Amino acid sequence: MGTSKRYAAHFDRLGEEGHLARLAETGGLQSLSARELALDRLPLTIDPEPKPVLAWVRFFGEAVRVRAWACRWTSRAVGVKFTAGGKEYTTWVWSDAVDLDPEVRPPSDDQKYRPT
Protein backbone atom coordinates (compact mmCIF):
# COMPACT_ATOMS: atom_id res chain seq x y z
CA MET A 1 0.00 0.00 0.00
CA GLY A 2 1.39 3.44 -0.96
CA THR A 3 1.22 6.80 0.72
CA SER A 4 -1.42 9.41 0.03
CA LYS A 5 0.07 12.29 -1.93
CA ARG A 6 -3.23 14.12 -1.68
CA TYR A 7 -2.86 14.65 2.08
CA ALA A 8 0.93 14.65 2.36
CA ALA A 9 1.24 18.41 2.90
CA HIS A 10 -1.50 18.31 5.54
CA PHE A 11 0.23 15.57 7.54
CA ASP A 12 3.63 17.23 7.12
CA ARG A 13 2.17 20.41 8.60
CA LEU A 14 0.62 18.48 11.51
CA GLY A 15 3.99 16.89 12.23
CA GLU A 16 5.72 20.28 12.16
CA GLU A 17 3.09 21.78 14.46
CA GLY A 18 3.51 18.88 16.90
CA HIS A 19 7.29 19.30 16.92
CA LEU A 20 6.91 23.05 17.52
CA ALA A 21 4.44 22.44 20.37
CA ARG A 22 6.88 20.01 22.05
CA LEU A 23 9.74 22.52 21.75
CA ALA A 24 7.54 25.31 23.14
CA GLU A 25 6.54 23.16 26.15
CA THR A 26 10.18 22.83 27.16
CA GLY A 27 10.62 26.60 27.04
CA GLY A 28 13.84 28.24 26.03
CA LEU A 29 12.57 30.55 23.29
CA GLN A 30 15.51 32.75 22.40
CA SER A 31 15.25 36.41 21.49
CA LEU A 32 17.72 39.08 20.48
CA SER A 33 19.32 40.98 23.35
CA ALA A 34 18.79 44.68 24.06
CA ARG A 35 22.31 45.31 22.81
CA GLU A 36 21.56 43.54 19.51
CA LEU A 37 18.25 45.37 19.10
CA ALA A 38 19.74 48.81 19.79
CA LEU A 39 16.28 50.29 20.31
CA ASP A 40 17.92 53.33 21.91
CA ARG A 41 19.62 54.12 18.57
CA LEU A 42 17.39 52.66 15.83
CA PRO A 43 13.90 53.84 14.86
CA LEU A 44 11.14 51.38 15.74
CA THR A 45 8.06 50.80 13.58
CA ILE A 46 4.96 49.36 15.25
CA ASP A 47 2.45 48.08 12.71
CA PRO A 48 -1.24 48.46 13.56
CA GLU A 49 -1.95 45.70 11.01
CA PRO A 50 0.71 42.98 11.53
CA LYS A 51 1.95 41.22 8.39
CA PRO A 52 1.82 37.42 7.91
CA VAL A 53 5.36 36.03 7.73
CA LEU A 54 7.43 32.88 7.92
CA ALA A 55 10.12 33.37 10.57
CA TRP A 56 13.01 31.30 11.87
CA VAL A 57 12.89 31.19 15.69
CA ARG A 58 15.11 29.30 18.13
CA PHE A 59 14.22 27.07 21.06
CA PHE A 60 17.34 25.99 22.98
CA GLY A 61 19.41 26.57 19.85
CA GLU A 62 17.14 24.52 17.55
CA ALA A 63 15.92 26.63 14.64
CA VAL A 64 12.28 26.15 13.61
CA ARG A 65 10.40 28.00 10.87
CA VAL A 66 6.99 29.21 12.07
CA ARG A 67 4.01 31.00 10.63
CA ALA A 68 3.96 34.31 12.48
CA TRP A 69 2.90 37.94 12.41
CA ALA A 70 5.46 40.74 12.06
CA CYS A 71 4.26 43.28 14.62
CA ARG A 72 7.23 45.64 14.86
CA TRP A 73 10.63 46.11 13.32
CA THR A 74 13.81 48.12 13.02
CA SER A 75 16.23 48.19 10.10
CA ARG A 76 17.91 45.07 11.57
CA ALA A 77 15.32 43.07 13.50
CA VAL A 78 11.67 42.02 13.46
CA GLY A 79 9.40 41.42 16.44
CA VAL A 80 7.17 38.45 15.64
CA LYS A 81 4.16 36.86 17.34
CA PHE A 82 3.18 33.21 16.82
CA THR A 83 1.17 30.43 18.43
CA ALA A 84 2.51 27.02 19.47
CA GLY A 85 0.66 24.41 21.47
CA GLY A 86 -2.23 26.81 22.06
CA LYS A 87 0.00 29.48 23.64
CA GLU A 88 1.06 32.80 22.11
CA TYR A 89 4.76 33.71 21.93
CA THR A 90 6.60 36.87 20.97
CA THR A 91 10.27 37.21 20.15
CA TRP A 92 12.76 39.31 18.22
CA VAL A 93 14.69 37.80 15.29
CA TRP A 94 17.11 39.18 12.73
CA SER A 95 15.32 40.67 9.71
CA ASP A 96 17.05 38.16 7.38
CA ALA A 97 15.24 35.36 9.27
CA VAL A 98 11.82 36.59 8.09
CA ASP A 99 9.98 36.27 4.76
CA LEU A 100 6.45 37.28 3.82
CA ASP A 101 4.13 34.27 3.99
CA PRO A 102 3.08 33.53 0.39
CA GLU A 103 0.07 31.46 1.50
CA VAL A 104 -1.61 34.22 3.52
CA ARG A 105 -3.07 37.19 1.74
CA PRO A 106 -3.97 40.27 3.75
CA PRO A 107 -7.56 41.44 3.33
CA SER A 108 -8.18 43.97 0.59
CA ASP A 109 -9.30 47.50 1.48
CA ASP A 110 -12.75 46.46 0.30
CA GLN A 111 -12.83 43.61 2.84
CA LYS A 112 -11.34 45.72 5.65
CA TYR A 113 -13.75 48.61 5.36
CA ARG A 114 -16.95 46.79 4.40
CA PRO A 115 -19.81 47.82 6.70
CA THR A 116 -21.11 45.02 8.91
Side-chain angles (χ1 to χ4, degrees), residues 41-59:
R41 295 188 316 274
L42 297 175
L44 173 67
T45 299
I46 299 174
D47 196 334
E49 294 183 28
K51 307 295 183 259
V53 295
L54 296 172
W56 286 100
V57 299
R58 290 189 174 276
F59 286 93

Side-chain angles (χ1 to χ4, degrees), residues 64-75:
V64 183
R65 199 164 195 206
V66 298
R67 284 193 144 69
W69 296 93
C71 301
R72 54 191 63 206
W73 56 83
T74 69
S75 58

